[in-house]
Amino acid sequence: MIGSFTRWTCIGLSLMFFFVPAMAEDEVKIAETGYFVPLSKDKPYIHVIHEGRSVKVQRVQDPDYQLQGYFAKTARKCPPFCIQEISPALGVDVVGEVELFDFMEVELRDGKGVLIDARTPSWYKKATIPGASNYPFTLLSKDPEDPEMEEVLEKFGARLREDSGFFNELMEKWGFVDTTHKTEKWDFTGAKTLVLWCNGPACGQSPRAIKGLLATGYPADKIKYYRGGMQMWQLWGLTTVTPK
Amino acid sequence: MQLGHDKVTCKQVQVRCRYLNQILLVLFVLLLTVDVQADDYLDSLEAEVGKVENHSFDDSVEPKAEPNAEDEVLLRHEFEQHLSQKNKGSYTLYKKLPERSRQEVYEEFTQGASMSQIRRMIVDRILQR
């Protein structure tokens, strides 16, 4: 037993010696160039599929670049454009750019997540975050019984629950069957993770959409809120795309 | 006695009706207000989006710093770099593929295939399935 442990420790240490210099070399490479601004500490850039083509998401490399125009504004009329709470609802995680990059690279590409631009189409048409789909808050805050809302939920991977039978109902009632992600009408077990965003911390469009989704029973742990939105995205000089 | 009771009931009903009318009126006004508020919000949003048009983010940016990704289509060497960083094993197999298969894998990636599909495709090509 001890011999086996020692052997595995040796293998582990050898692997560390093999890989650690390689990682350090990568880090030095970025630092050596001097001018390259990566997305985050370990991501120079990422590739995201937008409208069927791969788009490289990166930061503006010009060190003198300054944000100008609409998203550089510090104040807008409040109400309606008031600073929003950190989280729009209990149980909904708030994510920043780094978490969003991870989401775009993994869940979004693998079809297990949807990046939702919750703004009205006129905003979406101006520019959006690569990989985002436009589901305006006006749609996502519709009545849970509305056919359009039901169609959207099905697109997100929710399933309308059919009559599961007396026995199953009993099992659910007694707690033998997991009902964590189920409502009377919907089964959200296979539903995708959604990341919603809009114009930034002073934008109420995605919080409204999130509240609309929660009203249908969409599980809060499958909804994330990118509060920074377009304003922070552009402030960091990140790539945007103009939908066709 | 019965008649008197009836009279009181009628009065009560009248009073209730009056209150009911008022309640309905208040509810109607509230509903209207909510609707008007929602419309106001949409109107404000539409007015704001017009400002983006006038002070476009892209207009003020030098072409070299343009962050809009119209032309940021993934190049093949970037895909290979991405693969070598994220999936070293698959990259090793990918390098062993003939040129035509490599191009196919690259095209599949640019068309939106997930990394698991890409890995499977590489193995399939290696095993000539």
Side-chain angles (χ1 to χ4, degrees), chain A residues 208-224:
Chain A
R208 283 173 188 231
I210 288 171
K211 283 167 193 160
L213 284 165
L214 290 172
T216 67
Y218 210 98
D221 61 355
K222 292 193 178 211
I223 300 176
K224 296 182 193 308

Side-chain angles (χ1 to χ4, degrees), chain B residues 102-116:
Chain B
R102 280 193 233 174
Q103 183 62 26
E104 277 175 12
V105 172
Y106 160 67
E107 280 168 13
E108 199 68 17
F109 185 81
T110 54
Q111 281 160 22
S114 67
M115 280 318 289
S116 54

Side-chain angles (χ1 to χ4, degrees), chain A residues 35 37 60-66:
Chain A
Y35 57 84
V37 186
V60 169
Q61 296 299 312
D62 177 4
D64 297 323
Y65 171 77
Q66 286 189 349

Side-chain angles (χ1 to χ4, degrees), chain A residues 45 47 49 52 54 56 58 60 65 67-68 70 76 81 105 109-110 122-123 126 204-205 234 239-240 242, chain B residues 41 45-46 48-49 52-53 55 57 60 65 67-70 72-74 78 81 86 109-110 112-114:
Chain A
Y45 45 78
H47 294 108
I49 300 297
S54 190
K56 186 177 177 184
Q58 59 183 339
V60 169
Y65 171 77
L67 182 62
Q68 287 176 22
Y70 182 80
R76 286 190 292 164
F81 306 113
E105 219 176 17
R109 187 171 261 277
D110 288 344
S122 47
W123 284 94
K126 296 281 174 194
Q205 297 184 72
Q234 294 205 1
T239 307
T240 58
T242 311
Chain B
Y41 185 56
L45 283 172
E46 289 311 306
E48 284 293 299
V49 81
V52 179
E53 215 161 41
H55 309 284
F57 169 64
S60 56
N68 201 302
E70 279 303 301
E72 289 290 355
V73 179
L74 174 72
E78 288 174 339
Q81 202 176 353
K86 300 284 170 189
F109 185 81
T110 54
S114 67

Side-chain angles (χ1 to χ4, degrees), chain B residues 66-84:
Chain B
E66 176 66 78
N68 201 302
E70 279 303 301
D71 302 308
E72 289 290 355
V73 179
L74 174 72
L75 299 171
R76 189 166 138 183
H77 77 269
E78 288 174 339
F79 159 69
E80 288 174 351
Q81 202 176 353
H82 177 71
L83 190 66
S84 68

Side-chain angles (χ1 to χ4, degrees), chain B residues 90-99 101-102 122 126:
Chain B
S90 300
Y91 180 67
T92 313
L93 296 176
Y94 170 84
K95 293 299 274 182
K96 290 178 182 168
L97 289 174
E99 172 54 30
S101 297
R102 280 193 233 174
I122 292 170
I126 283 284

Side-chain angles (χ1 to χ4, degrees), chain A residues 74-93:
Chain A
T74 55
R76 286 190 292 164
K77 196 183 160 198
C78 168
F81 306 113
C82 302
I83 299 174
Q84 300 290 310
E85 292 86 359
I86 280 289
S87 179
L90 201 69
V92 173
D93 278 346

